Amino acid sequence: MFESVQALIDEHRRVQEELSDPAVHADAARAKRVNRRYAELSRIVAAHEAWVAASDDLDAAREFAREDETFAAEVPVLEEGLQAAQEKLRRLLIPRDPDDARDVIMEIKAGEGGAESALFAADLLRMYIQYAASKGWKTELLERNESDLGGYKDVQVAIKGSSSDPAQGVWAHLKYEGGVHRVQRVPATESQGRIHTSTTGVLVFPEVDEPDEIAINQNDLKIDVFRSSGPGGQSVNTTDSAVRITHLPSGIVVSMQNEKSQLQNREAAMRVLRARLLAKQQEELDAAASDARKSQIRGMGRSERIRTYNFPENRIADHRTGFKAYNLDQVMDGALEPLIASAISADEEARLAAVGSES
């Protein structure tokens, strides 16, 4: 059943030996790749060892039960344990998303609903920052375009993890957040107490590990500098520090004005541009893949409404997985784990089904 395991065990041994080579650690990018692969393979090796041990325990219990009936009661319990170990190993053997270990750049954009949508964008930003803090991740505000009432018309944040295990990666958890988030509540601007429905868009991009990972021809870039607009401190609104970069072949445009320095804004814009180009590259690969691949939850269009936040009922509902709970107040404080777990589970089921249909 697990014919591929031995090859992965052998690879785990080779990668472990590679990690003992000082030359690997002299190259930060290579060391990161090797550590990620080692962490991924270590989970498989541990699961395989647990499956083998569970199988041996069951065989022994059955053997003893033939001689002593008192051991017979242990057999059903050990059979369940073996089944659980087998299922865990089966899931781990499904090829992972190669970007799972990456950090992410998230963009939250106001949609339908005007000022209320912008206010909800600020609420979502706070929710994701709180969730990141609960995971021990770091956040960095890259760019923001504030609305009149303290919300955000558009805000971009980088979220960085510390684990080398792809299963604990930022992208592995947040890739499911891309889409349209619908909010139902009484806006701060509503004088009659009526419930309004607004939408806010979330885009999530895996961040490029190393700048040279995505080849960008400088001749393909149109770079404009201009005076920053909006609130700011000294030098903001007085110097041409804002940067707009247009990638001509793809048409992707990135603007940055959050920093006082033109150089810092340019570096931040290039960071976002690389992430968007990586995402575009992956989307093109997905488009060429099988229907089963496209059925995965992360493959759904970013324009799709994925979740509803109903404040009067304190209800949160995910429209892709069917998850529903009445703890919206806790979710808005960063308690996103059950929602994300439901998305991960749905994705795994889709991948299992895809593997089953191909075998």
Side-chain angles (χ1 to χ4, degrees):
M1 178 180 179
F2 299 128
E3 297 85 357
S4 62
V5 175
Q6 189 55 53
L8 294 173
I9 292 173
D10 293 341
E11 183 186 355
H12 179 262
R13 189 180 302 110
R14 292 194 301 271
V15 172
Q16 191 172 32
E17 292 173 356
E18 192 175 358
L19 282 172
S20 64
D21 183 356
V24 172
H25 300 280
D27 183 340
R30 182 184 175 191
K32 181 182 288 187
R33 289 194 301 270
V34 175
N35 271 301
R36 285 177 177 175
R37 185 58 177 163
Y38 180 72
E40 183 177 4
L41 291 170
S42 294
R43 289 167 61 88
I44 295 173
V45 170
H48 180 259
E49 290 174 348
W51 174 65
V52 170
S55 181
D56 291 345
D57 289 345
L58 179 57
D59 289 342
R62 285 171 173 166
E63 182 69 27
F64 289 138
R66 283 193 284 268
E67 300 174 2
D68 186 343
E69 292 184 358
T70 58
F71 286 97
E74 295 184 21
V75 172
V77 177
L78 292 172
E79 286 176 338
E80 290 182 8
L82 177 60
Q83 186 175 359
Q86 180 174 297
E87 179 63 15
K88 181 177 181 179
L89 179 56
R90 189 165 72 102
R91 288 177 178 267
L92 287 174
L93 288 175
I94 302 170
R96 294 199 69 91
D97 180 337
D99 292 331
D100 274 352
R102 293 184 186 271
D103 300 323
V104 309
I105 291 176
M106 175 180 284
E107 183 173 2
I108 306 172
K109 300 173 70 71
E112 296 179 2
E116 165 63 4
S117 176
L119 288 171
F120 189 58
D123 292 338
L124 287 179
L125 175 64
R126 177 180 174 276
M127 178 185 76
Y128 288 121
I129 288 176
Q130 294 281 82
Y131 175 67
S134 74
K135 302 288 288 184
W137 300 339
K138 295 181 179 179
T139 56
E140 176 189 358
L141 197 62
L142 297 178
E143 178 69 358
R144 63 183 183 271
N145 182 9
E146 298 178 4
S147 68
D148 295 336
L149 297 179
Y152 291 111
K153 298 176 183 177
D154 186 2
V155 60
Q156 296 180 47
V157 60
I159 306 176
K160 183 178 181 62
S162 57
S163 176
S164 60
D165 185 352
Q168 302 302 319
V170 182
W171 174 254
H173 289 75
L174 293 183
K175 61 186 174 185
Y176 308 104
E177 296 302 300
V180 175
H181 296 240
R182 182 175 70 168
V183 58
Q184 296 172 324
R185 65 183 179 185
V186 179
T189 55
E190 170 58 55
S191 59
Q192 302 298 318
R194 293 173 297 186
I195 297 172
H196 289 225
T197 297
S198 303
T199 60
T200 299
V202 175
L203 301 175
V204 189
F205 305 100
E207 185 163 11
V208 173
D209 289 329
E210 299 294 329
D212 58 1
E213 186 179 345
I214 296 292
I216 299 178
N217 188 331
Q218 293 300 310
N219 293 328
D220 290 337
L221 300 180
K222 179 186 177 186
I223 302 176
D224 300 306
V225 295
F226 55 97
R227 192 155 297 180
S228 299
S229 61
Q234 290 182 348
S235 81
V236 175
N237 304 322
T238 61
T239 61
D240 291 338
S241 59
V243 174
R244 181 188 301 109
I245 299 179
T246 303
H247 184 250
L248 299 175
S250 66
I252 295 174
V253 180
V254 181
S255 296
M256 288 286 164
Q257 61 177 23
N258 198 51
E259 301 296 338
K260 297 178 182 179
S261 160
Q262 184 184 124
L263 178 60
Q264 289 175 310
N265 282 324
R266 177 168 175 157
E267 289 175 349
M270 287 299 296
R271 197 171 156 190
V272 173
L273 176 61
R274 291 188 195 100
R276 290 188 179 178
L277 286 173
L278 178 66
K280 186 176 186 296
Q281 186 181 88
Q282 186 59 52
E283 286 171 0
E284 290 170 351
L285 291 173
D286 288 349
S290 66
D291 290 340
R293 171 66 175 160
K294 284 186 268 187
S295 73
Q296 292 178 34
I297 196 169
R298 66 155 288 199
M300 294 181 178
R302 290 194 178 97
S303 62
E304 182 171 350
R305 188 188 71 198
I306 66 166
R307 197 173 291 156
T308 294
Y309 303 72
N310 186 302
F311 279 76
E313 298 178 12
N314 199 35
R315 172 171 54 85
I316 180 78
D318 193 296
H319 306 297
R320 303 159 301 173
T321 67
F323 179 93
K324 184 184 293 185
Y326 291 85
N327 65 335
L328 178 55
D329 52 340
Q330 296 175 33
V331 170
M332 297 308 296
D333 282 335
L336 273 172
E337 199 62 42
L339 277 158
I340 289 175
S342 73
I344 292 174
S345 178
D347 195 9
E348 286 181 348
E349 292 298 331
R351 288 186 287 138
L352 281 169
V355 171
S357 65
E358 293 171 0
S359 59

